[in-house]
Amino acid sequence: MDINWLRDFVCLGRTLNFTRAAEERNITQSAFSRRIKSLEAWIGVPLIDRASYPVQLSEAGRQFLPVAQQTVADLTDTRQAIRERARGHASFQRFAALHAISVNFLQPRMAALERDYPDLRTRVISDSLTACCQLLSEGGCEFLLYYRHQDVAPILDETRFKRKDICEERLIPVAQHEAASRHGWTLPGRAGREVPYLSYDPNTFLGTVVDQTIGNRRPALDLRYMDALAEALKRRTLAGAGLAWLPEFSIRQELADGTLVRLGGRDWTATMTISLFCSPERLDDLGRTIWDQF
């Protein structure tokens, strides 16, 4: 038995798609399929109904999925506890968060908490939405912070965890003031005078939200640059390279002092919710206090 087989199966049980699950697990599809077959050989019965499309879990697969989820979580929790005990440290409160939330929202909140709780030890894992959700599902963290949007289906099984909606965050289309004035950039713009567009990677959550916000409208945008990180897009925007949809928390100062200007009306702005998730059974006394403080 290899714990990676269990992680693979949990991922496949969520996505019900071999290609997507292999991408999330960062291995080739052929290698992923072999590991699922190895798990089935170890169990002794098929866990996947491959005759259906999309694939479905077999009856045995549906019975085994919660066991696999709990086993991975328990092993991860136990490993973390043993490591911390061996180091002689108090437990770390582990947060998984999207990069933009970690930089612009979580860091100030943690600074305030550390003033109130001097013994607080925190580990923040900043990663993609998929990786962050996987960490919570597998017991790799106690808390998860991510954006939620009404038009984007969550990839996390939210029924397994407690949730608090913390606040709203907006994605605002902005450009550097001087560059926008000099070139006459507007949104939706007009043919022949396309606005250089700084885009999120389409596979990211924020990229999906922007795509949903644009919808069937056809703004005059000329795609010039693509990146998965909001902070990278912010730097390019401040350099006058074009227009980008940026989280309001990250650009409040620049909007206030006029360095960045909003392009387009409010119908081009996307509103999201920053939500906090946890597994209550994994929280120690300080963890429960932190949950209450949020």
Side-chain angles (χ1 to χ4, degrees):
M1 165 60 70
D2 184 335
I3 190 174
N4 283 317
W5 299 353
L6 296 179
R7 291 192 171 107
D8 293 343
F9 177 64
V10 169
C11 187
L12 183 58
R14 174 170 51 79
T15 62
L16 297 178
N17 184 297
F18 274 86
T19 301
R20 180 178 168 189
E23 290 175 352
E24 290 188 14
R25 296 290 294 146
N26 199 29
I27 60 175
T28 65
Q29 186 172 339
S30 58
F32 183 87
S33 297
R34 285 196 298 271
R35 296 204 316 204
I36 293 296
K37 288 180 179 178
S38 295
L39 178 62
E40 290 177 313
W42 186 84
I43 295 290
V45 296
L47 300 174
I48 308 299
D49 179 5
R50 294 172 175 81
S52 61
Y53 183 81
V55 297
Q56 300 292 326
L57 298 183
S58 67
E59 177 60 31
R62 289 191 292 272
Q63 292 177 7
F64 185 63
L65 180 59
V67 176
Q69 292 169 329
Q70 190 62 49
T71 299
V72 171
D74 287 346
L75 286 171
T76 304
D77 285 347
T78 301
R79 180 186 64 180
Q80 183 70 15
I82 291 173
R83 286 177 173 179
E84 290 169 356
R85 193 176 302 116
R87 294 169 184 159
H89 290 162
S91 296
F92 277 75
Q93 305 299 323
R94 297 170 297 171
F95 287 79
L98 297 180
H99 291 91
I101 295 178
S102 175
V103 172
N104 301 305
F105 174 78
L106 183 57
Q107 297 304 322
R109 293 296 295 268
M110 295 314 302
L113 285 169
E114 287 164 0
R115 288 193 295 270
D116 294 333
Y117 304 97
D119 294 332
L120 176 63
R121 295 176 181 271
T122 308
R123 181 186 178 192
V124 178
I125 306 105
S126 301
D127 213 318
S128 67
L129 177 60
T130 297
C132 289
C133 291
Q134 185 173 328
L135 277 168
L136 184 66
S137 297
E138 295 181 356
C141 64
E142 284 72 48
F143 302 100
L144 165 67
L145 275 164
Y146 77 5
Y147 294 125
R148 301 174 73 248
H149 187 271
Q150 61 182 3
D151 295 327
V152 181
I155 64 173
L156 179 73
D157 181 1
E158 297 184 357
T159 62
R160 295 177 54 204
F161 307 100
K162 291 188 69 174
R163 185 187 98 210
K164 282 187 177 182
D165 293 335
I166 306 301
C167 63
E168 287 191 345
E169 167 73 298
R170 296 187 297 172
L171 273 181
I172 302 174
V174 295
Q176 199 251 7
H177 182 270
E178 182 180 344
S181 298
R182 182 170 65 251
H183 298 292
W185 292 340
T186 61
L187 190 66
R190 54 186 181 274
R193 300 196 66 178
E194 286 83 4
V195 180
Y197 177 34
L198 315 176
S199 169
Y200 294 100
D201 186 299
N203 295 320
T204 62
F205 178 83
L206 294 182
T208 302
V209 171
V210 173
D211 286 344
Q212 292 283 355
T213 302
I214 293 174
N216 294 325
R217 296 178 288 185
R218 297 180 180 274
L221 299 177
D222 179 17
L223 181 59
R224 297 286 187 87
Y225 180 81
M226 186 179 295
D227 202 303
L229 299 181
E231 284 300 305
L233 295 185
K234 177 182 176 180
R235 288 177 180 269
R236 295 289 294 157
T237 305
L238 288 170
L243 170 151
W245 268 263
L246 296 177
E248 185 177 19
F249 278 137
S250 73
I251 57 173
R252 281 179 170 172
Q253 183 58 48
E254 290 81 3
L255 287 173
D257 64 25
T259 304
L260 295 177
V261 293
R262 179 198 298 266
L263 298 186
R266 294 193 177 276
D267 59 326
W268 292 97
T269 293
T271 300
M272 306 174 295
T273 301
I274 295 180
S275 297
L276 178 68
F277 293 83
C278 80
S279 293
E281 66 277 5
R282 294 186 195 147
L283 300 183
D284 57 16
D285 290 342
L286 182 55
R288 285 188 285 272
T289 299
I290 298 302
W291 172 257
D292 292 339
Q293 291 299 312
F294 271 88

